[in-house]
Amino acid sequence: MKDTVSENNPRKAWMGLLAKAPEGRVAALLDAEISRPAFTWLRAPEIGSTMVRARAGATGAPFNLGEMTITRCALTLETGEVGHSYIQGRRKADAEVAALVDALMQTAMASRLRETVLEPLEAGMATMKAARAAKAAATKVDFFTMTRGED
């Protein structure tokens, strides 16, 4: 059976970006750009947990690593687009905004939201990642050996 999710799927990319966003950041970017449109809940934000699975060495047999708290929701815009979100942690407001952005990205506003919400979000997360990598690199210890002149 063919996998229905393509590696080049743009929706997969923006959903991942929204799920990893810092608390309140998506809402701030969206509210600065547009007023939120009306929508109806398909599934109001609810908090639950999911099992996280892993593989030993990334190639071994899968095993249950543990549970993680998530918040999920689904909504539909008045024009019919459906938005979903799954956010790590207990963040109902962030789940709502992520689902709203998901739905709006399926409308004619997609290019505008990509420029004003997704790209700044991605740039900010890349900056945070680079700062974390630089902090870790500062603790790196280089071991070397010196040859003795006795040989």
Side-chain angles (χ1 to χ4, degrees):
M1 183 159 124
K2 186 176 186 246
D3 187 11
T4 59
V5 179
S6 169
E7 289 300 320
N8 298 322
N9 187 343
R11 188 173 188 195
K12 179 180 177 182
W14 80 63
M15 293 288 286
L17 189 61
L18 294 170
K20 296 172 191 170
E23 186 172 356
R25 183 70 176 134
V26 178
L29 290 169
L30 182 65
D31 292 339
E33 183 60 26
I34 64 169
S35 60
R36 295 186 188 185
F39 62 85
T40 56
W41 290 115
L42 296 175
R43 173 181 289 144
E46 57 188 18
I47 297 169
S49 63
T50 187
M51 181 60 66
V52 177
R53 295 184 51 90
R55 292 181 182 268
T59 58
F63 64 94
N64 293 338
L65 183 64
E67 290 188 355
M68 178 178 76
T69 304
I70 62 166
T71 305
R72 69 178 182 175
C73 71
L75 55 80
T76 182
L77 299 177
E78 290 179 337
T79 55
E81 292 81 13
V82 177
H84 301 277
S85 71
Y86 286 81
I87 304 290
Q88 180 180 352
R90 300 173 162 267
R91 304 181 325 191
K92 289 184 177 183
D94 287 338
E96 176 184 331
V97 172
L100 189 57
V101 170
D102 178 42
L104 289 170
M105 285 298 292
Q106 299 171 51
T107 66
M109 294 181 64
S111 61
R112 180 177 168 193
L113 288 177
R114 188 177 320 279
E115 292 174 4
T116 59
V117 176
L118 297 180
E119 288 176 2
L121 186 62
E122 189 172 20
M125 291 176 67
T127 302
M128 288 182 356
K129 184 177 181 180
R132 190 171 55 243
K135 187 176 179 180
T139 65
K140 181 180 177 186
V141 177
D142 288 323
F143 292 95
F144 62 92
T145 58
M146 295 179 62
T147 57
R148 295 172 145 198
E150 300 172 2
D151 288 334

